[in-house]
Amino acid sequence: MTGTERSFGADGGGARSVFGLRSVVGQMFVLQLVVVLLLALGAVVLLLVMARQESSQEAGSRSLALAEGFARAPGTAAAIEAPNATEVLQPRATEARKGAGVDFLVVLNREGTRLTHPLPDRIGKHTTADMAPLLAGETVVEDRVGTLGPQVRAYVPVRGPDGTIVGAVGAGVTIARVQSAAREQLPAVLGAAGGAVLLSIGGAALLSRRLLRQTHGLGPTEITRLYEHHDAVLHSVREGVLIVAGDGRLRLANDEARRLLDLPEDAEGREVAELELPPGVADLLVSGREATDELFEVRDRTLAVSQRPTEQAGKGSAGRPNGPAGRVATVRDTSELLAMSGRAEAAQGRLQVVYEAGMRIGTTLDVRRTARELAATTVGRFADFVTVDLADAVLRGEEIHGTHGEVRRAVTAGVDDEAPFYPEGTPVVFDATTPQARGMATGHTVLQPDLRADGAWRAQDPKGSQRLVEYGVHSLISAPLTARGTLLGAVCFWRAGRSAPFDEEDLALAEEVAARAAVSLDNARRYTREHTMAVTLQHSLMPRYLPVQESVEVAYRYLPAQAGVGGDWFDVIPLPGARVALVVGDVVGHGLHAAATMGRLRTAVHNFSALDLPPDDILGHLDELVDRMDQERTPADKGPNVTGATCLYAIYDPITGDCVMARAGHPPPVVVHPDGSVHVPDVPVSPPLGTGSGLPVETALLHLPEGARIVLYTDGLVERPDRDIDVGIGLLRDAVADRPELDPEETCRAVLAALPGAQPRDDVALLVARTHRLAPERIAEWRVPSDTAAVGAVRAECAAQLRAWGLEDIVFTTELILSELITNAVRYAAQPITVRMIHSSSLICEVFDGSNTAPHMRRAATTDEGGRGLFLVAQLAVRWGTRYTSWGKVIWTEQALEGPGAPEGGPDLADALLDQWNF
């Protein structure tokens, strides 16, 4: 009987071999079976998912078609607006829902109230759908959890005859119905998968049986060829092979083993103990224990010996042991390998230092920290001590033109803190003979392998150099730090104690690390320079102090971003009539460009405010200005466009308590009432400045009580990448809510304690203003008829009011001013004409009339009888001007009551009048 016949006889051994896990064929069969099962399972899951997706898509399409059809059906729009909408629409909706095979059909009015629903108790309740996109005319298809559970639904707006949105129609199918449709296909899918698995199992079994037949029963020719190959490999391989029998006799030794162990010709067949083997190798072979790459020194070689037993547990398929009792040992010459391994480890260590230098040096844009990163990367890996010396201009972030050997010790680091190097901050001037000076002069790295044998480097500091040598420092590499053709300083690597001296290979590594560090240091220097310039520019453009005014009590904070200064700003601008303007703005971006743009916008706001324009006009002018700034750019200009600036402008009137606000792309203000309640007023938001939208700016009018706090801020306070702006505004409200006792300064501290974090990613500008109202007794007002004879009576009442206020010193001056302004209003303007005096930190006189014609001051000729009134007003008042209202204009003057411009014994009116005739 042949080998094949023995393997596949009538005893069924073939079947056992195919399916037995001990055989390779059996393992292959099991692996094929597992793969087929996984593929079938994946196919079933994929088909079920696709069936469910198709059902969901079909349900969504059916829902959308039904919703659109019902929304456009005649009479739907009219029925929504009818008083009995539910009675008309509910039967139609029920019939349409059942006919289309959906779970619900809902009709909503503009407020989101359900007019129809499959569940009658849901009618009249508010929908869970978002009405905002529907009222905007958008169709919504979504997967949501509704009153009927998870569902696929579609909402379509309903338009009236005039095209306006009167409501919406929603239709949908629950996920349960979708899943039911998918489950209907499950039996067919499982049946097909099961058939495929059975077919694959049968095919795998046939293939495995055939493979088993083809790999058994090798003939004599194949055995002979196998032996020849075995013998050729055994004696040609460059690794010694020893086979020792169970009785301790050497059965086989190949040529390499004879060479490495110097075995005699008759070694095979003799006991290992009788052979003259090296002691360690002989003990290992006699003991028979397992070993892996145990090293033995044999003459001038290092041999690695491994040993394993050849008899294994278990029997073969024919009932024979898997191998004869004994052990096999291998012997390798590792002398060259160890030498190469040492060099490879050294090279790998250098590469690791270079890699870490690229990863760890320059993580920040701080010069001193970058220098410390250079030292931390190399200390303990490449050098025992590292010193970094930089020019003072580098540390200050200034432009430099060579160090000329004058540097400052920036970093001293090492394996311990006892080495006698110069401490950090010490100015150093290197002598021309030192390696540091030579390296900086030539731009090349200098190697000094033995400092004890070289005396030139000691000229810098003989005593200090001697202390270093006595401490054990013996080797040095000095590398200049040069970036973009500019010499920044030098880094010195020192080795001490038992560390090997530096060699030429270390020189290349030092150059590479120094080059990488120099680029990072130069980047940090440039950033420091730009940051310093930006900070200086921004500080020069930001308000240095807040003007004195009585309308609001103000506190503010400005926090620059972690990335540098930006374009956030704030302002408090006094306006005529004791009013005050509160401004907060933000220019997108950081750096000099953003700071400069902020300065231009802040200046423009001051100029527009001087014209006493309303908030919407000011933001409109700013929008045009930003748009022109972008248009003025040329292709050669670098940096981003200005587009993206935002601004909030508010004007508070302490007489009426009214506050008019407008905002362009800016976060809304937060108002804290005196009782501690907080609300966010609905100030209409316009597009950011410079977007070119052309949309008008809308305003909001707030009436603020005495002691209310207005919190204005930029988006850096409330917005972060990991937090939505609405969440930030909620945190801001919580920080100031129910705390009426806080003044503006305490409010700023409370807000910054809750927001925005220790290191904000964006600039933060915060302005808190507490409102004050002027007492009614400090305001006087009179109506003036259109008769010049009434001017005298009004003037007399004004004088009496001034005396009642204790302002006798300016009665005469005020009478002259009001006489001129009232007379001009009666002669040239229209009714109503009103005079108002406000006793604030200064005396403000206002004359209201119904004309839009503004007066202009001119220099009268010597022959003119008039034309000198406004000049006289300008001479007597500290400031004067005109502002326009919705029904006319106001001419106002302001007189100082104390300080510069205050009266001292009365004005010299004679000189003021005579100056009109000076040539």
Side-chain angles (χ1 to χ4, degrees):
M1 182 179 291
T2 63
T4 304
E5 292 172 342
R6 288 195 300 270
S7 298
F8 297 92
D11 60 354
R16 287 193 298 271
S17 298
V18 173
F19 297 103
L21 292 180
R22 291 185 178 276
S23 66
V24 177
V25 175
Q27 294 176 8
M28 291 177 59
F29 174 80
V30 173
L31 179 61
Q32 290 176 350
L33 178 59
V34 172
V35 171
V36 169
L37 290 175
L38 291 178
L39 291 177
L41 180 60
V44 170
V45 173
L46 178 60
L47 289 174
L48 290 177
V49 171
M50 292 178 62
R52 181 174 178 180
Q53 289 180 349
E54 291 177 357
S55 300
S56 299
Q57 293 176 357
E58 192 275 334
S61 301
R62 188 164 66 245
S63 301
L64 179 60
L66 178 59
E68 290 180 343
F70 199 91
R72 298 172 182 172
T76 300
I80 292 176
E81 297 181 335
N84 58 343
T86 300
E87 298 177 3
V88 175
L89 294 174
Q90 178 69 4
R92 298 182 187 176
T94 302
E95 182 181 358
R97 173 176 57 81
K98 294 180 178 179
V102 299
D103 291 308
F104 70 91
L105 180 63
V106 180
V107 181
L108 311 172
N109 59 14
R110 284 184 58 85
E111 290 74 23
T113 303
R114 300 188 185 96
L115 303 178
T116 69
H117 198 275
L119 303 177
D121 59 337
R122 309 291 180 167
I123 298 176
K125 296 183 179 180
H126 198 272
T127 182
T128 60
D130 187 5
M131 293 297 296
L134 295 174
L135 296 178
E138 299 179 6
T139 298
V140 178
V141 179
E142 59 185 359
D143 294 344
R144 291 287 296 274
V145 177
T147 57
L148 299 179
Q151 53 195 234
V152 180
R153 62 188 186 184
Y155 283 90
V156 178
V158 179
R159 298 183 181 273
D162 56 350
T164 60
I165 307 298
V166 300
V169 175
V173 178
T174 61
I175 298 300
R177 181 186 292 267
V178 175
Q179 293 176 344
S180 177
R183 284 194 294 268
E184 293 176 358
Q185 303 181 23
L186 182 59
V189 173
L190 292 178
V197 170
L198 292 177
L199 183 60
S200 300
I201 291 174
L206 292 176
L207 290 175
S208 299
R209 188 177 184 87
R210 184 171 180 84
L211 179 61
L212 185 62
R213 290 179 179 273
Q214 292 178 349
T215 56
H216 285 75
L218 296 177
T221 304
E222 288 79 6
I223 296 177
T224 301
R225 184 180 302 113
L226 180 62
Y227 174 78
E228 292 175 350
H229 292 169
H230 170 268
D231 189 65
V233 172
L234 183 64
H235 292 284
S236 63
V237 70
R238 292 196 62 186
E239 183 170 339
V241 178
L242 299 172
I243 298 178
V244 182
D247 58 0
R249 294 182 179 276
L250 180 63
R251 295 300 184 186
L252 176 68
N254 69 347
D255 297 341
E256 185 68 9
R258 293 176 181 275
R259 185 183 69 85
L260 294 177
L261 298 177
D262 196 16
L263 295 176
E265 293 294 336
D266 59 346
E268 293 181 357
R270 296 171 59 183
E271 292 186 3
V272 174
E274 297 178 357
L275 301 176
E276 295 181 359
L277 296 176
V281 178
D283 295 339
L284 176 60
L285 295 178
V286 170
S287 66
R289 61 181 176 84
E290 293 189 13
T292 301
D293 287 340
E294 290 192 10
L295 301 180
F296 300 95
E297 296 294 333
V298 179
R299 294 184 295 274
D300 57 346
R301 297 189 184 97
T302 300
L303 302 182
V305 181
S306 301
Q307 183 169 254
R308 292 291 185 275
T310 59
E311 182 178 7
Q312 301 177 3
K315 301 291 184 178
S317 60
R320 299 186 302 272
N322 288 335
R327 48 199 177 274
V328 61
T330 59
V331 183
R332 291 182 294 111
D333 186 358
T334 62
S335 303
E336 296 181 0
L337 182 61
L338 290 176
M340 294 178 59
S341 176
R343 292 193 294 270
E345 290 180 359
Q348 185 178 8
R350 295 188 181 95
L351 289 176
Q352 184 67 22
V353 172
V354 174
Y355 171 76
E356 292 192 7
M359 296 296 295
R360 297 177 57 184
I361 299 176
T363 58
T364 65
L365 291 173
D366 181 82
V367 174
R368 295 185 183 273
R369 183 167 178 177
T370 301
R372 295 188 184 279
E373 291 171 345
L374 166 60
T377 302
T378 52
V379 167
R381 295 179 178 88
F382 176 65
D384 296 320
F385 298 93
V386 174
T387 58
V388 182
D389 304 305
L390 299 174
D392 286 335
V394 177
L395 298 173
R396 294 192 299 266
E398 300 174 355
E399 290 292 342
I400 58 176
H401 304 284
T403 63
H404 304 292
E406 300 178 5
V407 293
R408 187 175 297 273
R409 180 61 49 87
V411 173
T412 298
V415 293
D416 59 59
D417 299 330
E418 303 298 329
F421 290 100
Y422 292 139
E424 296 179 3
T426 303
V428 182
V429 180
F430 289 114
D431 189 87
T433 60
T434 60
Q436 295 91 332
R438 298 202 310 269
M440 289 190 293
T442 60
H444 298 293
T445 303
V446 178
L447 169 64
Q448 195 67 47
D450 189 1
L451 295 175
R452 292 165 294 191
D454 181 71
W457 74 286
R458 302 191 183 194
Q460 172 71 30
D461 183 1
K463 294 183 179 180
S465 302
Q466 183 61 32
R467 287 196 297 269
L468 284 176
V469 172
E470 293 174 354
Y471 187 80
V473 177
H474 58 75
S475 188
L476 164 68
I477 291 181
S478 177
L481 296 170
T482 305
R484 302 178 181 91
T486 302
L487 180 62
L488 310 177
V491 55
C492 293
F493 304 100
W494 312 79
R495 284 184 179 175
R498 297 182 179 180
S499 299
F502 288 115
D503 54 24
E504 294 295 333
E505 295 182 355
D506 296 323
L507 197 65
L509 173 60
E511 290 178 349
E512 179 67 21
V513 173
R516 291 173 181 263
V519 174
S520 299
L521 287 169
D522 192 52
N523 291 338
R525 177 190 66 83
R526 290 169 177 264
Y527 170 78
T528 302
R529 177 174 177 270
E530 181 178 346
H531 180 73
T532 303
M533 294 174 59
V535 169
T536 303
L537 174 62
Q538 187 183 46
H539 286 177
S540 66
L541 297 175
M542 292 287 285
R544 298 187 179 181
Y545 63 92
L546 294 181
V548 178
Q549 42 79 37
E550 293 183 326
S551 302
V552 292
E553 179 185 353
V554 178
Y556 62 90
R557 292 289 190 278
Y558 173 78
L559 301 179
Q562 183 180 4
V565 297
D568 292 18
W569 91 93
F570 60 88
D571 249 320
V572 178
I573 306 174
L575 297 177
R579 298 168 303 142
V580 65
L582 305 175
V583 191
V584 174
D586 182 8
V587 176
V588 175
H590 297 90
L592 287 173
H593 179 78
T597 303
M598 176 270 290
R600 296 180 66 178
L601 293 182
R602 180 171 177 262
T603 302
V605 168
H606 274 267
N607 292 336
F608 294 144
S609 299
L611 301 177
D612 210 350
L613 300 176
D616 52 342
D617 286 351
I618 287 182
L619 293 185
H621 288 306
L622 284 179
D623 182 60
E624 295 176 359
L625 173 62
V626 175
D627 190 51
R628 285 198 305 271
M629 291 167 64
D630 279 340
Q631 293 177 1
E632 292 172 357
R633 293 172 54 85
T634 64
D637 293 335
K638 298 181 180 179
N641 292 344
V642 184
T643 302
T646 65
C647 184
L648 187 149
Y649 192 95
I651 297 179
Y652 173 69
D653 190 343
I655 298 176
T656 63
D658 292 336
C659 182
V660 182
M661 295 185 179
R663 61 188 179 117
H666 204 80
V670 173
V671 177
V672 186
H673 293 275
D675 60 356
S677 61
V678 180
H679 84 285
V680 179
D682 185 15
V683 181
V685 59
S686 300
L689 303 176
T691 57
S693 63
L695 298 176
V697 179
E698 301 182 51
T699 60
L701 177 63
L702 307 178
H703 186 74
L704 302 178
E706 170 76 19
R709 284 170 288 164
I710 309 173
V711 182
L712 306 179
Y713 53 92
T714 55
D715 58 358
L717 179 69
V718 296
E719 188 175 20
R720 290 195 328 203
D722 59 342
R723 184 180 64 202
D724 189 70
I725 187 172
D726 294 334
V727 178
I729 294 177
L731 295 175
L732 172 60
R733 295 183 58 172
D734 295 340
V736 297
D738 300 325
R739 304 179 72 179
E741 75 282 357
L742 299 182
D743 60 17
E745 187 67 28
E746 294 170 339
T747 303
C748 287
R749 288 197 292 267
V751 169
L752 294 183
L755 298 160
Q759 293 181 330
R761 294 177 177 271
D762 194 8
D763 301 81
V764 174
L766 175 63
L767 181 65
V768 179
R770 181 161 61 184
T771 61
H772 296 294
R773 298 283 295 274
L774 286 179
E777 59 270 15
R778 299 177 66 182
I779 305 171
E781 187 173 326
W782 299 272
R783 289 293 301 272
V784 181
S786 298
D787 185 3
T788 56
V791 176
V794 174
R795 185 172 62 241
E797 293 182 9
C798 293
Q801 183 63 58
L802 291 175
R803 293 187 181 91
W805 284 339
L807 303 178
E808 293 85 356
D809 293 341
I810 61 173
V811 169
F812 182 66
T813 304
T814 307
E815 284 184 324
L816 289 178
I817 293 174
L818 289 177
S819 178
E820 175 64 26
L821 297 182
I822 298 173
T823 301
N824 286 343
V826 170
R827 287 181 178 178
Y828 307 114
Q831 286 289 344
I833 301 174
T834 305
V835 177
R836 183 169 68 179
M837 289 196 309
I838 303 172
H839 182 199
S840 180
S841 57
S842 60
L843 179 65
I844 301 171
C845 299
E846 298 176 328
V847 178
F848 299 79
D849 61 59
S851 172
N852 289 325
T853 303
H856 297 282
M857 185 174 64
R858 62 185 180 88
R859 178 177 291 276
T862 54
T863 56
D864 291 342
E865 296 182 0
R868 299 175 179 85
L870 285 180
F871 180 83
L872 181 62
V873 170
Q875 293 295 317
L876 298 178
V878 177
R879 295 190 304 162
W880 75 281
T882 305
R883 73 174 184 271
Y884 294 93
T885 64
S886 58
W887 45 266
K889 69 176 183 295
V890 182
I891 302 178
W892 57 271
T893 63
E894 183 176 336
Q895 297 169 260
L897 301 181
E898 58 184 14
E904 297 180 0
D908 192 351
L909 300 181
D911 291 342
L913 291 173
L914 291 176
D915 285 343
Q916 290 293 291
W917 282 270
N918 288 342
F919 295 98

